[in-house]
Amino acid sequence: MSVYDDGVVGSPNSPVAHPDGLKCYGRVPEMNSHGDIISAGDIFLRAGRHTGPNRGFGVRHIWAEHKTELVKLGYVTVGDVARFVRDVIRPGSPIYCEFNHPGGKHRPTVLKSSLGIAILEPREASETDSGWIYVVVTAYTSRKAHGVLIGRLE
């Protein structure tokens, strides 16, 4: 494993452990909404990369884009990003979807209204029961999700 000069351990796709030692950050159940199937899958956080404003994913991207707002909430180091993501992604949190991702893969948004939102991206994963996982693209303190309420996290 490598440590980049930002203090985050691992390559961009390296998984970031859940602060409570759980195997994942949550689970999106299978849902049928607007004639589209949203596949079930576990949610994972990656070390990620940040390549510019609104470009990137994972811990590095979240910290680079939202450090100021996270520090105000008490998440004061890049190592606290996983704790923030855990605090947003909770069982029962509502899931919204805009159904307009240009690649045809809808990006669900998980909202915990008192803290913030997390944007997820589906990825194929043959080692899972559903064939899919969800990766946290970004998370931030906005309390407004766009799109249609399609379900709740398991």
Side-chain angles (χ1 to χ4, degrees), residues 36-152:
D36 288 313
I37 300 289
I38 306 296
S39 298
D42 291 338
I43 302 168
F44 295 94
L45 179 62
R46 303 284 193 225
R49 71 174 168 258
H50 179 70
T51 56
N54 299 312
R55 299 188 56 85
F57 71 98
V59 170
R60 289 183 180 100
H61 176 67
I62 294 166
W63 189 246
E65 289 281 322
H66 305 290
K67 175 181 179 179
T68 303
E69 64 196 72
L70 294 178
V71 167
K72 287 179 185 176
L73 291 175
Y75 303 94
V76 297
T77 70
V78 70
D80 290 331
V81 171
R83 194 168 51 87
F84 176 71
V85 170
R86 176 209 57 199
D87 292 346
V88 169
I89 300 176
R90 296 287 198 179
S93 293
I95 303 169
Y96 291 82
C97 190
E98 291 190 63
F99 295 101
N100 66 354
H101 189 271
K105 295 179 182 174
H106 306 304
R107 284 178 139 175
T109 300
V110 176
L111 169 72
K112 183 171 189 304
S113 60
S114 66
L115 189 61
I117 65 175
I119 308 295
L120 309 177
E121 186 170 275
R123 301 253 174 101
E124 290 186 63
S126 60
E127 70 276 6
T128 66
D129 58 345
S130 69
W132 293 93
I133 62 167
Y134 290 86
V135 175
V136 178
V137 175
T138 193
Y140 48 93
T141 60
S142 172
R143 294 180 179 101
K144 184 176 180 181
H146 298 283
V148 177
L149 177 65
I150 58 172
R152 296 196 173 270

